[in-house]
Amino acid sequence: MSDSTAPLDRPRTVLLRGGEVHSPADPFATAMVVDGDGIAWIGSEGAADSFADGVDEVIHLDGALVTPAFTDAHVHTTATGLALTGLDLTGARTLADALARVRAHARTRPADRILLGHGWDASAWPERRPPSRAELDEATGGRPLYLTRVDVHSALVTTALLDLVPGITDLPGYAPDAPLTGDAHHAARAVAHGSVTPAQRAEAQRAALRHAVSRGIGTLHECAGPEISGEDDLTGLLRLAAEEPGPRVFGYWAEHVTSAEDAERVRELGAIGAAGDLFADGSLGSHTAHLHEPYADADHRGTAHLDADAVAAHVAACTEAGIQAGFHAIGDAALTAVTDGVRAAAERVGLDRVRAARHRVEHAEMLTEATIAAFAEYALTASVQPAFDAAWGGEDGMYARRLGPERARTLNPYAAMLRAGIPLAFGSDSPVTPLDPWGTLRAAAFHHTPEHRISVRAAFTAHTRGGWRAIGRDDAGVLVPGAPADYAIWRVGELVVQVPDHRIAAWSTDPRSGTPGLPDLAPGRDLPVCLRTVVAGRTVYAHPNE
């Protein structure tokens, strides 16, 4: 593909030609010039000839597609790396399969003080129950094991791990033979993650960062916090990302802020906001999302971690300190608490200041008309994960079992959010769902609930520019002169303009529309293959066969 044999990681002047360049500056562009860490020119193949002799490298695209690199707006990097390199149960189809994988992992890791794993989802198994503690004790040979559910809001542990956590049986969220939630889960997680050495942690982070760029992702938003990972984990990741080639990493620290001193501590950690997974509630899969009405399959309404007063104090303090605030909120009651709290903060510090801060809410699944209107009024960014619907939506999915079909159909209303003018930033919540940007776009465009579907173009914007706008940058995530040279090259099939309404699909390939095309993401179609990922003008991934 390239005429240069220069090192891959040195910024230089590069001409890309002979492909399709996805740019609003020119919907028919076939060529692009990158100068150092920025985009210098975009245009046609004929005009590219005038640049050919003055560049360090010419990349012949051979029909490939060039797009902005994706931004994943919600990632847990270390946990993603541990899942990639360790025990990952996301592919387990039955209880017996899960236990067999635990046994095999225990055999292959005899030196690990604590076994770590992720990804079980009993709601998808025919047995409809997770392994018992006794079954896990047997499968591990009595060793300590910490095994998170796919949503990471509950965990299975062995007896040997319980013995390492003093007082855990007295903490909220402990049950004699059920997954740990709440404070008991956080205590077990702290002990389990404390067993990971700095070298193991760095290697897991490297694995996750390598995997991200192989998927055309140029930027990650790391959602860290005292109940999730730890200060050393965040600072180590930010240092690693700054020192080694790979994606850009922006960190959020999910700690409640009520003063300027609290906000300064967040800054000292290198975080750009006190946001991310600051929990207003839990998750639907673990029955801990906070609902206005009880679960369909449980006689309670989940768990509230923050009320409107706590939300207001946090948003007001962050706004006054000039940093972003944000929350994890999934259930309708949690989202009501968040929007009520933001309203109170706006009354205290001023609506314009709150809007300008671009505070954000992660997940935002059970929105109502009232909370959608509040998001729009206060310019809250919705950091959302369309793959959640792909995994758990539909008439027979986990959402329907937890909430009943009627409530389940209201979840993740992306079309209504866009109509209201809510800024969307797409992500994966990896390792909850995979780092898979084109799959994420497909999930949004082919949502289980047709009225929530959005165009591929709108989804693409949410997964590129949306992530940059969520951190206050309006000049990135798009291929135009002057923008950062963060881009990916893809092997693709036909390019179309794909919309969620079948009545207008007939003009989807008409060049007269003047709209840059994107790959056909219809279910069953092959997804694009990443050939190269470039961040700030440096190639950070090249496909081994190209």
Side-chain angles (χ1 to χ4, degrees):
M1 176 179 286
S2 172
D3 285 351
S4 172
T5 57
L8 289 177
D9 62 349
R10 182 175 64 83
R12 52 202 185 280
T13 304
V14 179
L15 169 64
L16 298 89
R17 65 184 306 177
E20 302 283 348
V21 179
H22 187 90
S23 172
D26 182 349
F28 308 111
T30 61
M32 179 171 80
V33 173
V34 173
D35 186 12
D37 61 359
I39 296 170
W41 174 84
I42 287 174
S44 66
E45 187 64 21
D49 289 336
S50 63
F51 295 98
D53 293 334
V55 298
D56 299 315
E57 179 184 10
V58 177
I59 296 176
H60 294 280
L61 295 170
D62 299 323
L65 172 67
V66 185
T67 71
F70 286 101
T71 293
D72 193 307
H74 191 122
V75 172
H76 303 285
T77 306
T78 302
T80 297
L82 291 171
L84 288 168
T85 59
L87 173 57
D88 185 0
L89 296 186
T90 53
R93 294 290 176 259
T94 66
L95 173 61
D97 182 13
L99 287 169
R101 295 180 186 217
V102 171
R103 288 189 190 94
H105 183 73
R107 285 196 301 269
T108 60
R109 305 294 290 242
D112 288 7
R113 188 169 71 88
I114 296 177
L115 298 167
L116 303 174
H118 166 75
W120 61 271
D121 183 3
S123 71
W125 298 344
E127 298 87 355
R128 294 288 169 89
R129 72 167 181 88
S132 68
R133 192 159 296 146
E135 288 170 329
L136 290 174
D137 287 346
E138 183 276 328
T140 60
R143 296 169 63 189
L145 168 70
Y146 171 74
L147 188 58
T148 49
R149 191 184 181 279
V150 64
D151 57 16
V152 200
H153 284 272
S154 59
L156 298 167
V157 298
T158 55
T159 303
L161 183 65
L162 289 177
D163 292 342
L164 298 176
V165 190
I168 191 170
T169 58
D170 298 323
L171 293 177
Y174 172 81
D177 195 19
L180 303 179
T181 62
D183 291 347
H185 177 208
H186 298 155
R189 175 162 50 196
V191 169
H193 285 183
S195 71
V196 178
T197 67
Q200 288 174 316
R201 183 174 63 221
E203 185 49 41
Q205 291 170 346
R206 286 190 182 95
L209 298 179
R210 286 194 300 266
H211 185 63
V213 293
S214 76
R215 296 299 185 266
I217 297 169
T219 301
L220 301 175
H221 296 182
E222 167 67 14
C223 291
E227 294 183 344
I228 302 163
S229 48
E231 294 182 8
D232 290 346
D233 187 87
L234 174 62
T235 57
L237 172 63
L238 295 178
R239 184 168 55 251
L240 182 70
E243 293 173 352
E244 300 184 6
R248 303 175 193 260
V249 178
F250 296 96
Y252 285 97
W253 183 250
E255 189 165 355
H256 196 248
V257 168
T258 58
S259 67
E261 291 76 18
D262 291 343
E264 184 57 32
R265 212 178 79 76
V266 171
R267 284 197 181 94
E268 289 171 354
L269 290 173
I272 61 173
D277 278 334
L278 179 56
F279 296 120
D281 67 344
S283 73
L284 292 165
S286 292
H287 290 101
T288 51
H290 187 208
L291 313 181
H292 283 304
E293 300 297 332
Y295 284 86
D297 60 351
D299 60 354
H300 63 82
R301 300 180 183 182
T303 306
H305 297 302
L306 297 172
D307 60 17
D309 289 342
V311 170
H314 182 74
V315 172
C318 289
T319 303
E320 290 178 330
I323 65 172
Q324 279 182 291
F327 306 91
H328 161 119
I330 287 178
D332 51 1
L335 287 159
T336 296
V338 166
T339 52
D340 286 350
V342 174
R343 180 176 296 108
E347 292 170 355
R348 188 180 310 171
V349 303
L351 174 60
D352 289 345
R353 293 179 69 191
V354 166
R355 288 178 59 88
R358 305 193 190 190
H359 302 309
R360 53 191 282 170
V361 180
E362 311 301 314
H363 315 310
E365 294 196 73
M366 288 188 73
L367 287 164
T368 63
E369 289 186 6
T371 49
I372 286 174
F375 268 60
E377 181 178 3
Y378 301 113
L380 298 175
T381 294
S383 170
V384 295
Q385 296 76 38
F388 286 8
D389 176 75
W392 303 311
E395 295 298 309
D396 299 320
M398 181 270 288
Y399 288 154
R401 289 192 290 274
R402 292 289 185 269
L403 302 173
E406 184 175 345
R407 274 191 297 177
R409 282 191 290 269
T410 69
L411 294 188
N412 303 301
Y414 302 133
M417 296 162 81
L418 284 179
R419 286 194 299 271
I422 295 171
L424 294 184
F426 279 0
S428 61
D429 198 10
S430 180
V432 176
T433 62
L435 296 167
D436 179 16
W438 292 109
T440 294
L441 268 57
R442 173 182 282 171
F446 296 93
H447 196 295
H448 276 98
T449 306
E451 57 263 36
H452 299 332
R453 294 173 180 172
I454 61 176
S455 69
V456 170
R457 183 184 181 194
F460 181 81
T461 299
H463 219 341
T464 51
R465 297 193 79 173
W468 281 99
R469 287 168 170 166
I471 62 168
R473 290 278 301 274
D474 294 329
D475 62 334
V478 62
L479 300 183
V480 295
D486 291 17
Y487 61 91
I489 303 174
W490 307 90
R491 184 193 304 130
V492 296
E494 182 184 24
L495 300 184
V496 299
V497 179
Q498 205 160 22
V499 295
D501 188 337
H502 66 86
R503 292 171 300 175
I504 54 176
W507 60 266
S508 63
T509 58
D510 187 341
R512 291 172 297 178
S513 68
T515 301
L518 286 165
D520 186 348
L521 302 182
R525 298 270 187 172
D526 291 338
L527 293 176
V529 174
C530 185
L531 304 178
R532 183 182 296 216
T533 305
V534 176
V535 174
R538 289 179 169 86
T539 297
V540 295
Y541 169 76
H543 193 284
N545 296 325
E546 295 296 331

